[in-house]
Amino acid sequence: SCFLRHARSRNYVSESEVCKLESVPLDFGDYHPLKPITVTESKTKKMNRKGSTSSTSSSSSSSMMDPLSSVLDGTDPLSLFAAAADPVTTMDSTRKKRDKDDSSAVGGDFEPWSSKRADILARYTTTEKLSINLYMGSEKGKTTTTGSAVSEKVRTRLEELDDLEEGSQKELLNLTQQDYMNRIEELNQSLKDAWSSDQKVKALKIVIQCSKLLSDTTVIQFYPSKFVLITDILDTFGKLVYERILSMCVDSRASLPDNFSPESVNDTAKETCLNWFFKIASIRELIPRFYVEAAILKCNKFLSKTGISECLPRLTSMIRGIGDPLVAVYARAYLCRVGMEVAPQLKESLNKNFFDFLLTFKQIHGDTVQNQLVVQCVEIPLYLTLYSPAIDWILQCIAYRAPEVLLTEMMERCKKLGNNALLLNSVMSAFRAEFIAARSMDFIGMIKECDESGFPKHLLFRSLGLNLALADPPENDRLQILNEAWKVITKLKNPQDYINCAEVWVEYTCRHFTKREVNTVLADVIKHMTPDRAFEDAYPQLQSIIQKVITYIHDFSLLFSVEKFLPFLDMFQKESVRVEVCKCIMESFIKHQQESTKDPVILNALLHICKTMHDSVNALTLEDEKRMLAALINGFIKMVSFGRDFEQQLSFYVEARSLFCNLEPVLIQLIHCVNQLAMETRKVMKGNHSRKTAAFVRACVAFCFITIPSLSGIFTRLNLYLHSGQVALANQCLSQADAFFKAAVSLVPEVPKMISVDGKMRPSDAFLLEFLCNFFSTLLVVPDHPEQGVLFLVRGLLNVIQDYTWEDNSDDKVRIYTNVLHLLSAMTQEAYIYHVDKVDSNDALYGGDSKFLAEINKLCETVIAQILDHLKTLGKDETLKRQSQLALYFFNTILAHGDLRNNKLNQLSVNLWNLAQKHGFADPETMMKTMEYIKRRSKRPELSHLADLALRLPLQPRT
């Protein structure tokens, strides 16, 4: 009861001065902590001859040693670890790096076949039924005895190969495309299983059978996809054979280097390799014989240096025997593919393949092909597109790092052929974009001359547009190029053909032209895609168009002044797609908008877009999605500023609240923005409140008071009530501040025992303790309401804390009461430690009035009684440690805030000190440091009485 009556009188200014660190001038010299460390390098030269001496030469640019280098002694532990690894692996990795740098190898700028695979499978599909021949296995030839002659074994294996062609197959009919793909995958797995179980002939049979499927064009529109699936199996077979032979070359000493010569290959490996080529040579049919030999082309490295360069021309000539031009062109594509992998420097065979194709190009328009297309009901334009993947690949291989002279020659040869649209398209797909862009008008001229009934012209313009998105044409030609292309594109009747082409040319338009041309293009797209709701089948392309527009136009006032931009967004009728588009636009705005804006065009457009995102939220929306949408909307809100027009700013926030009321993070952001707006108003007015200003601030305060209850998180509400009350107080809105603080007090009883934090349930005690400590700090400067009585807010809060149900094993209630003592002690001072500008706190209102101090003392008596009662309840064995900790905590409070010249207070502190040590739970080091602190403080004149206290505080001996 004597605590506050004898609270220590504080001079906060002098205490602050005493606590300041002493500044000491430092002379850094040449040293600075941010200056780069210079490592001293020592070179030691040792001679091993008898009687020699070691001479050491040092070179150093600094007297300082790098501490990391000195610890490592010049060696990197990771390097040491790597050096201790398998030496063969280390050598191989070094070799790979060297070979990668070899100029003859294909570099990272060459687009691999694997990147084209998925696109081909997705593009060339069918709903027609397919058939496949599956190898069923055979027991023939498996009874050979151990003593059989080698020639007998060879004959048996050849018979096994013949067995495949004599009917050991099962034809599966009426397969869907997915069934067919599953069967091919089964064959691929069967190949691996046969190989791993050492059934090499069975593996070869499977590969032969798969290769035969490439001669079948009964469902011709599926052929490119079939080629992809089958050649995957051939690639697997080629790797298995190569790795098998390579493993035979490894002896106990080391493996072959990557660039080995045939002389370093042992006889067993060579014989096995020859055996594989002999087996393949015995295959009767041309197509499987070609494909299987091409698959193991790399194995020629084991036999001779010139093996690959000799095989490529022979295989190229073999393809001339394939009658179907589609089958032949894909065979050429496979040979080029293998050739680029094993010998990319042998360009001649690549060129030969292309020129052979040009010689047979007229076959495409021959009677045999035309009759086949009639039977399958396939139109010539569709048929010609089947050639594109193969020709594109052949031309890509030829064009890779090729001189411009060769590319020009290729282009001229294509020009000389009639009906050359297919080739022209492949040239534009395969050649460098810079080469195409520089000759854009030439290509447009060639496109115009193409036969309209053949390869579709819009695909040619699409290919040209793809190049112009990567490289710029001559400046003088740019407008003419756009006009020529758009003349053709806008006449397209089929919406899918139109949008596929328009999507590409939008990028060219955005790169080189103004908003007028962009608006014209968007208007044309709307015109073509709106009838019959054609846009519903073109969402990916329409999304791509929006993405390209916002990629090139970062000025959003310019973007939204494009008349057709918002009508274009209206075509996104499917909600999920519309929301994705809105998210893209908002991400672009947040990324590129450098300055705050009040442009009504931007605000109206983005409010509409944000509203679309907000309205997509429902009960099934994931929390992550809500967070993302809220972050985008908040990013927009932060960028809106009306400068000194505070009323307009508040009106915007009010509108935003009504639009985005279902996203809590947005409401929280708006409350913070409005509080900040109220503080900015105070700064601008410099405290000179007119009636208008006061009314505006009250409007801001009302906004927050109305909005906070709609939030679900209880600590979010508590903290916002406190923050908003502080803002109201800073703006001299005292009654409004009281309302916020009362709301916070009344909300404390609703705090649950457990709350969700990052998806996990946690006890709420620590969060409540933190909030209440912040609240106490604010209550110090809150003046009493003239009609509410002395310290009405503090009393109300203490009643709530008293009635709150605390956990049995928690001491937080007492820790809160101890913090209340800190507050009450501060309230007894003549001048408070801090104030709010232009707000009179209780130190000014009461001026140290004895009645006021008596009220504080009554509160203090109540609080101390509660603390001491709680300490008594902790006298049981299982709670003695908690009792010790709390006793010391309370002792420190008295030491900091009490006037220990008073005997009763002095005795209470001694009792608490003894209680803390009574049962041996006090930390001796902590007690020792506390004692040292008391003795140090006692040296100050005004605290000399602490020396007597120190003598009365015994220290338990260390055990």
Side-chain angles (χ1 to χ4, degrees):
S1 64
C2 55
F3 179 78
L4 284 198
R5 193 174 292 134
H6 299 284
R8 185 162 65 86
S9 181
R10 309 287 290 273
N11 186 330
Y12 293 119
V13 176
S14 64
E15 285 184 33
S16 175
E17 288 297 324
V18 169
C19 294
K20 281 185 180 176
L21 293 174
E22 184 182 355
S23 59
V24 179
L26 288 177
D27 181 17
F28 285 101
D30 291 335
Y31 168 75
H32 189 278
L34 298 181
K35 196 174 180 181
I37 292 176
T38 311
V39 180
T40 303
E41 180 185 8
S42 296
K43 297 179 182 175
T44 304
K45 183 175 167 185
K46 293 186 179 177
M47 304 179 76
N48 295 324
R49 286 190 297 274
K50 188 177 179 182
S52 66
T53 58
S54 296
S55 64
T56 305
S57 64
S58 260
S59 64
S60 172
S61 56
S62 170
S63 59
M64 286 187 303
M65 195 71 180
D66 173 10
L68 297 179
S69 300
S70 61
V71 170
L72 296 175
D73 194 25
T75 56
D76 169 14
L78 295 180
S79 302
L80 289 173
F81 180 77
D86 181 8
V88 174
T89 310
T90 310
M91 285 164 57
D92 284 351
S93 64
T94 308
R95 244 182 258 113
K96 283 176 184 172
K97 186 176 180 183
R98 185 181 65 239
D99 291 345
K100 193 175 179 182
D101 295 336
D102 185 357
S103 60
S104 65
V106 173
D109 55 340
F110 183 80
E111 187 182 3
W113 174 259
S114 57
S115 67
K116 300 176 181 294
R117 186 181 176 281
D119 185 52
I120 296 172
L121 289 173
R123 184 177 171 192
Y124 297 98
T125 58
T126 183
T127 54
E128 293 188 34
K129 297 300 182 182
L130 303 160
S131 63
I132 190 172
N133 292 324
L134 282 177
Y135 170 66
M136 301 306 294
S138 169
E139 298 301 317
K140 263 178 79 175
K142 291 190 180 175
T143 56
T144 311
T145 61
T146 320
S148 299
V150 174
S151 58
E152 180 65 27
K153 188 184 289 186
V154 171
R155 187 164 60 252
T156 303
R157 288 190 172 177
L158 291 175
E159 286 174 358
E160 286 178 334
L161 290 176
D162 289 343
D163 180 41
L164 176 68
E165 299 177 315
E166 289 168 3
S168 63
Q169 304 169 57
K170 177 183 176 183
E171 187 172 25
L172 297 177
L173 302 171
N174 297 324
L175 298 175
T176 64
Q177 179 180 319
Q178 189 58 51
D179 291 337
Y180 188 93
M181 293 170 75
N182 292 341
R183 296 294 180 184
I184 294 292
E185 183 53 40
E186 286 173 19
L187 283 171
N188 201 355
Q189 190 56 47
S190 298
L191 166 64
K192 293 174 184 175
D193 294 342
W195 192 271
S196 60
S197 59
D198 208 29
Q199 299 181 54
K200 304 296 188 290
V201 172
K202 180 180 177 182
L204 180 58
K205 284 183 176 184
I206 292 170
V207 176
I208 293 170
Q209 177 190 354
C210 290
S211 303
K212 281 187 172 184
L213 295 174
L214 290 174
S215 60
D216 174 22
T217 57
T218 48
V219 184
I220 203 161
Q221 62 267 40
F222 184 63
Y223 191 84
S225 290
K226 184 198 289 188
F227 171 79
V228 168
L229 297 168
I230 300 298
T231 52
D232 282 350
I233 295 177
L234 288 163
D235 290 343
T236 301
F237 177 71
K239 287 174 187 171
L240 291 171
V241 173
Y242 183 83
E243 287 166 6
R244 164 71 179 150
I245 299 169
L246 186 64
S247 68
M248 300 174 77
C249 302
V250 178
D251 57 24
S252 57
R253 291 167 296 171
S255 61
L256 282 177
D258 285 353
N259 54 348
F260 63 86
S261 63
E263 291 77 24
S264 56
V265 178
N266 59 46
D267 291 344
T268 307
K270 283 185 177 179
E271 185 180 345
T272 304
C273 186
L274 277 169
N275 191 24
W276 276 109
F277 280 111
F278 289 153
K279 283 178 188 175
I280 292 164
S282 67
I283 300 170
R284 294 174 186 172
E285 293 185 27
L286 171 62
I287 289 176
R289 186 166 72 250
F290 163 78
Y291 272 107
V292 180
E293 183 174 353
I296 67 164
L297 180 67
K298 191 176 181 181
C299 294
N300 279 285
K301 289 173 64 176
F302 297 111
L303 301 177
S304 73
K305 287 182 178 178
T306 57
I308 293 174
S309 59
E310 290 168 359
C311 275
L312 280 171
R314 178 171 56 79
L315 290 170
T316 301
S317 300
M318 279 174 67
I319 298 171
R320 294 175 183 173
I322 300 175
D324 189 311
L326 185 66
V327 177
V329 79
Y330 275 93
R332 295 187 191 284
Y334 186 67
L335 186 58
C336 290
R337 182 168 131 197
V338 175
M340 284 298 284
E341 286 177 9
V342 301
Q345 73 279 9
L346 300 177
K347 294 281 190 180
E348 191 51 45
S349 64
L350 298 173
N351 299 346
K352 184 66 176 166
N353 263 293
F354 183 66
F355 294 142
D356 274 6
F357 167 70
L358 292 184
L359 288 172
T360 58
F361 183 68
K362 57 180 180 289
Q363 283 184 303
I364 292 175
H365 302 282
D367 292 342
T368 308
V369 170
Q370 296 298 327
N371 293 338
Q372 184 185 18
L373 298 183
V374 170
V375 171
Q376 296 202 34
C377 301
V378 174
E379 298 289 332
I380 190 72
L382 173 61
Y383 174 69
L384 289 176
T385 61
L386 302 178
Y387 283 79
S388 292
I391 302 174
D392 290 356
W393 178 258
I394 294 169
L395 283 170
Q396 181 186 325
C397 295
I398 291 170
Y400 180 65
R401 293 182 180 173
E404 195 149 305
V405 179
L406 176 63
L407 301 183
T408 307
E409 182 191 347
M410 294 282 180
M411 190 172 152
E412 291 303 320
R413 289 210 184 195
C414 292
K415 271 186 184 179
K416 292 174 185 174
L417 289 172
N419 296 324
N420 66 348
L422 171 63
L423 288 173
L424 192 58
N425 189 63
S426 292
V427 165
M428 289 190 288
S429 299
F431 283 16
R432 289 191 295 274
E434 293 78 11
F435 180 89
I436 305 296
R439 298 162 178 77
S440 297
M441 291 308 299
D442 291 343
F443 278 97
I444 286 175
M446 286 187 279
I447 291 170
K448 283 182 174 179
E449 292 170 10
C450 289
D451 184 2
E452 188 65 53
S453 64
F455 196 89
K457 277 191 182 179
H458 70 269
L459 291 182
L460 296 174
F461 273 108
R462 185 177 192 278
S463 297
L464 179 60
L466 288 169
N467 282 284
L468 296 180
L470 299 172
D472 297 334
E475 193 167 346
N476 294 335
D477 295 340
R478 288 175 186 175
L479 183 57
Q480 189 178 355
I481 291 168
L482 179 61
N483 288 334
E484 292 290 348
W486 210 261
K487 275 183 204 171
V488 175
I489 297 168
T490 196
K491 289 177 184 174
L492 293 171
K493 302 296 183 195
N494 183 300
Q496 276 300 319
D497 291 344
Y498 170 84
I499 197 64
N500 286 333
C501 210
E503 173 208 351
V504 172
W505 281 88
V506 163
E507 183 162 5
Y508 175 78
T509 310
C510 292
R511 270 170 77 103
H512 300 297
F513 299 98
T514 64
K515 77 168 189 177
R516 188 171 68 87
E517 288 80 9
V518 172
N519 191 58
T520 303
V521 170
L522 294 182
D524 198 59
V525 174
I526 293 170
K527 178 184 169 185
H528 278 78
M529 302 308 294
T530 303
D532 302 322
R533 298 176 69 85
F535 52 76
E536 290 183 341
D537 299 319
Y539 284 139
Q541 294 93 328
L542 295 173
Q543 276 182 275
S544 175
I545 289 174
I546 289 290
Q547 190 64 58
K548 285 166 182 171
V549 170
I550 61 178
T551 297
Y552 287 96
I553 304 179
H554 296 158
D555 181 348
F556 280 79
S557 59
L558 176 65
L559 177 66
F560 293 125
S561 66
V562 174
E563 186 185 343
K564 295 297 180 181
F565 184 77
L566 290 177
F568 191 95
L569 294 183
D570 292 338
M571 286 195 292
F572 294 101
Q573 300 278 307
K574 188 178 179 183
E575 185 180 69
S576 60
V577 181
R578 188 167 69 248
V579 170
E580 283 304 313
V581 171
C582 291
K583 281 159 68 175
C584 285
I585 295 170
M586 292 310 302
E587 284 167 1
S588 178
F589 175 80
I590 292 166
K591 181 179 179 181
H592 298 293
Q593 185 72 22
Q594 300 297 322
E595 297 176 353
S596 56
T597 182
K598 61 177 180 179
D599 186 330
V601 175
I602 295 179
L603 298 191
N604 290 332
L606 291 184
L607 279 171
H608 170 72
I609 288 168
C610 289
K611 179 80 167 98
T612 301
M613 295 194 302
H614 168 271
D615 291 350
S616 70
V617 174
N618 55 42
L620 300 177
T621 306
L622 297 174
E623 288 301 317
D624 282 349
E625 178 71 6
K626 287 182 185 177
R627 272 194 292 272
M628 181 186 292
L629 295 176
L632 292 172
I633 295 172
N634 283 342
F636 161 57
I637 289 170
K638 289 175 188 174
M639 294 304 296
V640 176
S641 173
F642 289 88
R644 296 256 179 126
D645 190 346
F646 298 133
E647 291 184 4
Q648 189 66 36
Q649 188 83 36
L650 182 60
S651 297
F652 170 77
Y653 292 145
V654 170
E655 184 181 3
R657 181 179 62 186
S658 66
L659 293 175
F660 312 128
C661 55
N662 290 329
L663 287 172
E664 276 204 15
V666 178
L667 295 179
I668 293 169
Q669 176 67 39
L670 287 169
I671 292 168
H672 285 304
C673 286
V674 170
N675 278 327
Q676 186 178 355
L677 183 63
M679 294 305 292
E680 283 179 13
T681 308
R682 177 173 176 266
K683 285 179 187 174
V684 171
M685 296 304 173
K686 296 178 181 176
N688 297 321
H689 273 214
S690 64
R691 287 184 180 180
K692 186 176 180 182
T693 306
F696 175 77
V697 171
R698 284 197 294 273
C700 291
V701 169
F703 177 100
C704 298
F705 196 77
I706 292 167
T707 310
I708 293 172
S710 63
L711 304 175
S712 61
I714 191 155
F715 281 103
T716 303
R717 278 182 280 157
L718 282 170
N719 286 311
L720 285 173
Y721 275 134
L722 178 57
H723 180 226
S724 301
Q726 291 166 345
V727 171
L729 194 62
N731 282 279
Q732 297 109 58
C733 297
L734 301 184
S735 58
Q736 287 83 358
D738 282 348
F740 279 115
F741 297 141
K742 283 180 184 176
V745 169
S746 63
L747 192 59
V748 169
E750 297 178 26
V751 174
K753 296 291 173 289
M754 306 290 286
I755 58 170
S756 178
V757 179
D758 296 331
K760 295 181 180 178
M761 297 307 291
R762 304 275 190 230
S764 63
D765 292 4
F767 297 95
L768 183 56
L769 180 61
E770 181 187 2
F771 166 75
L772 289 173
C773 288
N774 289 337
F775 200 178
F776 295 148
S777 300
T778 302
L779 289 178
L780 174 63
V781 293
V782 177
D784 283 343
H785 193 284
E787 298 174 5
Q788 300 285 343
V790 177
L791 301 180
F792 73 101
L793 283 172
V794 176
R795 290 175 189 279
L797 189 54
L798 283 173
N799 290 335
V800 166
I801 294 167
Q802 175 65 29
D803 296 338
Y804 188 80
T805 308
W806 300 88
E807 294 290 336
D808 292 338
N809 61 347
S810 168
D811 297 319
D812 286 333
K813 182 176 181 180
V814 172
R815 293 184 184 279
I816 290 168
Y817 279 146
T818 309
N819 280 294
V820 171
L821 288 178
H822 301 169
L823 168 63
L824 295 174
S825 172
M827 283 183 163
T828 63
Q829 304 301 316
E830 287 185 18
Y832 290 172
I833 188 170
Y834 48 81
H835 293 88
V836 175
D837 188 32
K838 292 191 166 44
V839 174
D840 289 332
S841 298
N842 285 340
D843 57 344
L845 291 179
Y846 293 107
D849 182 72
S850 57
K851 290 182 180 179
F852 173 66
L853 295 176
E855 289 295 327
I856 293 176
N857 199 47
K858 285 180 186 177
L859 283 176
C860 181
E861 288 175 6
T862 307
V863 171
I864 289 178
Q866 291 279 349
I867 295 172
L868 294 176
D869 286 347
H870 185 79
L871 282 171
K872 286 177 186 176
T873 64
L874 298 177
K876 300 172 186 175
D877 289 346
E878 63 271 17
T879 55
L880 289 175
K881 186 174 182 180
R882 285 165 54 196
Q883 186 188 58
S884 171
Q885 291 171 343
L886 279 181
L888 184 60
Y889 187 64
F890 190 21
F891 171 84
N892 286 329
T893 294
I894 294 175
L895 183 64
H897 299 279
D899 184 353
L900 289 168
R901 288 173 295 190
N902 176 270
N903 291 334
K904 288 184 179 179
L905 201 55
N906 197 295
Q907 186 58 48
L908 176 59
S909 64
V910 172
N911 293 343
L912 289 169
W913 177 271
N914 292 332
L915 182 61
Q917 298 185 99
K918 185 175 181 181
H919 300 286
F921 287 104
D923 176 34
E925 188 174 345
T926 302
M927 303 304 285
M928 179 65 73
K929 286 183 176 178
T930 306
M931 178 62 76
E932 289 172 359
Y933 170 76
I934 294 170
K935 290 177 179 177
R936 195 164 58 248
R937 297 265 290 171
S938 68
K939 292 176 183 177
R940 291 171 55 186
E942 70 275 17
L943 297 175
S944 57
H945 58 278
L946 292 181
D948 295 331
L949 175 67
L951 295 174
R952 300 182 63 201
L953 301 177
L955 277 173
Q956 281 187 346
R958 291 175 182 261
T959 54

